[in-house]
Amino acid sequence: MAIDKEHKEFHTVDLTDGFAPPPGYPEGIKQKVLAGFLDEEKKVGNRTRLLKFDPGVYTTKPFVHDYYEEVYLVSGDLTVGNDENGEGGEAFQPNTYACRPPGAVHGPFKSENGCLLVEIHYYA
């Protein structure tokens, strides 16, 4: 597997600006791509991104995609496996991690107080 990402040295990451809603996500979830590019139509590439949930935001359906995903919960809270009304699921706190192969069904997700995730996505 070849990884092609631009060379970036240590630099300050602005956590207050440059976030945008990812396609298909509910309002209140925003991403900031740090490096790389993932082309889901051509099924190539990789990306490292920050994903922010505003307080009280939740998704209603499980996710499944055809690329690998690694997720690290940096701050806040994240609940996995809630229902369509945002109820139930298993709550996680910072310094928790997930690694999912292509095709793994996961979610839905919610955050009571908001959270910040680092995600790495890549095709094999």
Side-chain angles (χ1 to χ4, degrees), residues 7-119:
H7 179 167
K8 293 186 173 188
E9 289 296 334
F10 279 100
H11 61 282
T12 301
V13 176
D14 186 346
L15 296 179
T16 63
D17 190 36
F19 285 83
Y25 282 67
E27 189 174 326
I29 299 176
K30 299 173 205 74
Q31 72 174 357
K32 181 174 188 163
V33 176
L34 298 175
F37 177 76
L38 192 73
D39 187 332
E40 294 182 57
E41 285 186 20
K42 294 180 181 175
K43 303 187 183 320
V44 297
N46 59 81
R47 76 174 160 225
T48 302
R49 74 177 182 181
L50 298 176
L51 192 70
K52 284 172 54 170
F53 278 61
D54 288 343
V57 171
Y58 62 90
T59 62
T60 59
K61 303 226 184 287
F63 290 80
V64 63
H65 38 72
D66 57 359
Y67 49 82
Y68 287 90
E69 176 179 57
E70 297 182 57
V71 181
Y72 181 78
L73 178 57
V74 175
S75 63
D77 63 272
L78 184 70
T79 297
V80 180
N82 54 277
D83 65 18
E84 289 184 350
N85 299 311
E87 302 297 326
E90 183 178 359
F92 294 93
Q93 298 301 311
N95 301 317
T96 53
Y97 169 82
C99 184
R100 302 181 183 109
V105 178
H106 52 287
F109 302 101
K110 72 175 176 179
S111 182
E112 296 291 339
N113 301 301
C115 69
L116 178 66
L117 306 164
V118 174
E119 297 186 345

